[in-house]
Amino acid sequence: MLSRFAKTPPQAKTERVLREKTLKMAATMESSSDEEEGCTFIQVLSEKYNPENFPYGQGVVVMPSPPGSPVKGRLFLPNMLVLSDAGIRKAGDRSDIAAFCAHVLELDLSHNQLNDWAEISTIVSNIPHLEFLNLSMNPLSGIELEPSMAEVFSRVRQLVLINTQVSWDTVHTLTQQAQELEELFLCLNGYNTVSESQTSCPSLRLLQITDNQLKEWAEVRKLGQMYPSLKTLILANNRVDSVSDTRETLEQLFPNLRTINLNNSGLSKWEDIERLAFFPKLEDIKAKGIPLLQPYTTHERRCLLLAQLPSVVLLNGSAVSDGEREDAERLFIRYYQDCPEQELPERYHILVSKYGQLAPLVEVDLSPRSTMVDIRWGDRVEAVSLRLEQTVGDLKKHLRALLQLPTSGIRLFYIDREMCSVLGPEELKCSSRALHSYRIRDGDEIEVVPKVKSRCSSSDL
């Protein structure tokens, strides 16, 4: 007899199903909660660089897990860690970071979910030899960095903050504390102005600030004042529309600048190009896609730019030879020599004092030549205009289509009407030879003859 507390089989099955559903819902909620919290730096590190996923090789350090660490076993860790696009939101245990990353020099954390400078500072502070840090594509808009947290960036030499929407205040906090910072990348951050800093960053050598919305030269001027030791300034894909300072100001603004990239900027006046020559050490310029150069041919663009920039040795990525420079400067003189005196640029007078007044180049007509000849095919005669730059082979193809000639093969004979009684017909044998080499003239004749197959065949032997 069953106890009154015993469950009948249908009841037990129903409760079991309910219990399983409850457990699944709880697991789903826990998983959803974990996704919202994101992964930790240590979790991703231990997953990617464990022996099963990352092979041991040159430059890799085998790191045993410290006592008490949730990371079990060993990790194979190179000195350059790439942990991009991994959902990292938190740092994790700082003692584990310190234990595993003491030898790390470069760290790529791009495309993660880091939105708290405290978490980033925890990671950086426990990597004592870190020199390169990439935080691109992390959501740092509106997240300010406290100066006390920024001290941990003091050894970083290269900092990449592309498309983070990081504020200028945070940039200034970082550059003030990162006293060894040499390269800074601030592309795609939506800047239309530059916020000035009370403290300069004399260590910075390269600034890449492409694909923003800077337009006024006054904003670029601020960069020169904040980063006086810049050697490379990459401003491509901003709409900077002028270089509007005096010679004295420009000489002092970027005294060490050697490379500038103004591709796809808004420069529209030759005076702006002239002023670039005032930077005392500038030797490498990129200026493709600017409105100023649109009316000119590719050759004219390079020559006119080069003639205005006497110290440049690299223009748009190509080295400048002495011969190319001289040709460009001579073209520059001829280009402007018919302009009114008041329109002549200063550079024109400098180059005339160097080369003197140059005679205009003789115009030579290099357009393709053509002539009218009679094409004879049996009793049929057609007047045809020949392009003399084409070859014998080209002519044969043209005649087959024009005269509906058989495709089995033809022979061509050139008849010079003035000399035919002396020389006779000349067969056009070489398919690659140009027609102009035969000195064909109007009124001459070309006879088309079908090729005759030999009557002797292998069956006759």
Side-chain angles (χ1 to χ4, degrees):
M1 183 176 180
L2 291 173
S3 165
R4 61 175 176 166
F5 296 107
K7 296 179 174 67
T8 63
Q11 286 178 309
K13 182 178 180 180
T14 300
E15 290 190 5
R16 186 171 67 253
V17 171
L18 289 172
R19 185 167 60 253
E20 289 175 355
K21 288 184 176 179
T22 302
L23 291 172
K24 286 182 179 179
M25 289 177 63
T28 301
M29 292 176 64
E30 183 178 354
S31 174
S32 176
S33 177
D34 289 342
E35 289 180 3
E36 290 180 3
E37 290 181 3
C39 302
T40 69
F41 173 82
I42 283 296
Q43 286 172 339
V44 174
L45 181 76
S46 59
E47 175 67 23
K48 177 172 182 177
Y49 291 104
N50 69 56
E52 294 180 1
N53 296 332
F54 193 83
Y56 179 76
Q58 186 176 5
V60 174
V61 177
V62 181
M63 301 294 294
S65 300
S69 170
V71 181
K72 304 303 179 185
R74 300 173 301 167
L75 298 182
F76 291 172
L77 294 171
N79 60 15
M80 182 178 69
L81 302 182
V82 180
L83 299 174
S84 58
D85 199 17
I88 298 173
R89 191 186 293 268
K90 304 285 185 180
D93 189 280
R94 64 176 61 240
S95 61
D96 284 342
I97 301 174
F100 287 122
C101 300
H103 67 295
V104 171
L105 300 176
E106 300 185 14
L107 177 59
D108 182 353
L109 291 173
S110 60
H111 293 271
N112 280 292
Q113 300 171 25
L114 292 163
N115 61 357
D116 187 340
W117 282 106
E119 299 295 331
I120 298 171
S121 296
T122 297
I123 296 171
V124 174
S125 64
N126 289 284
I127 308 179
H129 301 293
L130 188 65
E131 296 181 353
F132 171 89
L133 177 62
N134 186 355
L135 294 172
S136 299
M137 314 297 177
N138 281 280
L140 296 173
S141 175
I143 313 298
E144 297 304 325
L145 173 63
E146 296 296 329
S148 59
M149 293 182 186
E151 294 175 0
V152 301
F153 294 88
S154 60
R155 292 174 299 277
V156 174
R157 295 179 180 273
Q158 297 167 296
L159 182 58
V160 187
L161 297 170
I162 296 173
N163 200 14
T164 57
Q165 311 303 308
V166 66
S167 71
W168 276 111
D169 287 341
T170 294
V171 171
H172 297 332
T173 301
L174 286 165
T175 56
Q176 289 167 13
Q177 298 297 328
Q179 299 178 0
E180 298 182 21
L181 187 64
E182 295 180 355
E183 298 182 4
L184 179 61
F185 298 80
L186 297 175
C187 316
L188 291 164
N189 282 329
Y191 301 140
N192 51 34
T193 61
V194 175
S195 175
E196 293 184 82
S197 173
Q198 300 301 317
T199 306
S200 66
C201 180
S203 62
L204 198 67
R205 300 291 186 268
L206 179 149
L207 175 63
Q208 182 165 331
I209 192 167
T210 61
D211 295 280
N212 282 284
Q213 296 155 27
L214 302 178
K215 184 177 180 181
E216 304 293 334
W217 179 255
E219 307 304 322
V220 180
R221 186 187 303 124
K222 296 174 189 175
L223 298 176
Q225 293 165 349
M226 292 190 296
Y227 311 124
S229 301
L230 273 184
K231 291 184 176 180
T232 301
L233 177 59
I234 305 175
L235 283 164
N237 302 328
N238 285 276
R239 299 306 297 172
V240 176
D241 59 6
S242 67
V243 181
S244 54
D245 275 323
T246 64
R247 179 173 193 146
E248 293 74 17
T249 300
L250 293 173
E251 287 175 346
Q252 298 175 10
L253 185 62
F254 290 104
N256 298 293
L257 193 67
R258 296 183 179 276
T259 299
I260 191 168
N261 187 332
L262 290 163
N263 285 348
N264 301 315
S265 65
L267 299 183
S268 59
K269 297 179 180 179
W270 281 111
E271 290 82 359
D272 298 321
I273 302 301
E274 288 181 33
R275 294 187 186 109
L276 291 177
F278 298 155
F279 297 127
K281 295 184 179 180
L282 191 63
E283 59 183 15
D284 179 1
I285 290 179
K286 289 184 174 67
K288 293 182 178 180
I290 61 176
L292 171 65
L293 300 178
Q294 288 180 357
Y296 303 96
T297 66
T298 301
H299 179 65
E300 288 173 338
R301 290 171 187 172
R302 185 168 176 85
C303 287
L304 294 176
L305 280 175
L306 189 54
Q308 296 260 30
L309 301 166
S311 300
V312 167
V313 297
L314 277 173
L315 180 60
N316 291 331
S318 298
V320 178
S321 67
D322 292 341
E324 183 186 19
R325 179 175 296 284
E326 180 175 342
D327 290 344
E329 291 175 345
R330 288 177 175 275
L331 182 146
F332 184 88
I333 292 174
R334 291 188 172 101
Y335 184 86
Y336 281 101
Q337 62 187 359
D338 293 330
C339 292
E341 180 68 25
Q342 64 271 19
E343 296 180 13
L344 294 175
E346 181 181 352
R347 183 70 179 155
Y348 173 84
H349 300 291
I350 295 173
L351 292 178
V352 167
S353 66
K354 179 179 179 180
Y355 296 105
Q357 291 289 349
L358 302 178
L361 292 176
V362 177
E363 292 188 8
V364 179
D365 183 8
L366 297 178
S367 58
R369 292 178 295 156
S370 63
T371 188
M372 292 296 297
V373 298
D374 290 335
I375 304 295
R376 182 178 297 277
W377 166 246
D379 296 332
R380 181 181 173 187
V381 178
E382 293 275 354
V384 175
S385 176
L386 292 188
R387 292 181 298 107
L388 296 181
E389 80 277 7
Q390 69 181 332
T391 64
V392 172
D394 295 332
L395 176 60
K396 286 183 177 181
K397 293 177 184 177
H398 176 63
L399 292 179
R400 286 195 189 105
L402 179 68
L403 304 178
Q404 301 296 309
L405 299 178
T407 58
S408 57
I410 57 174
R411 299 169 67 187
L412 301 181
F413 291 87
Y414 165 55
I415 300 171
D416 184 332
R417 288 194 172 177
E418 293 183 1
M419 302 294 293
C420 62
S421 59
V422 178
L423 300 177
E426 178 181 2
E427 184 172 4
L428 308 182
K429 290 183 177 181
C430 182
S431 295
S432 60
R433 183 173 172 181
L435 295 180
H436 65 74
S437 66
Y438 291 95
R439 301 183 181 277
I440 299 174
R441 292 167 294 189
D442 287 341
D444 287 346
E445 184 176 310
I446 292 178
E447 185 170 2
V448 183
V449 178
K451 283 186 177 179
V452 179
K453 294 185 178 179
S454 173
R455 296 181 180 179
C456 181
S457 65
S458 58
S459 61
D460 296 326
L461 299 176

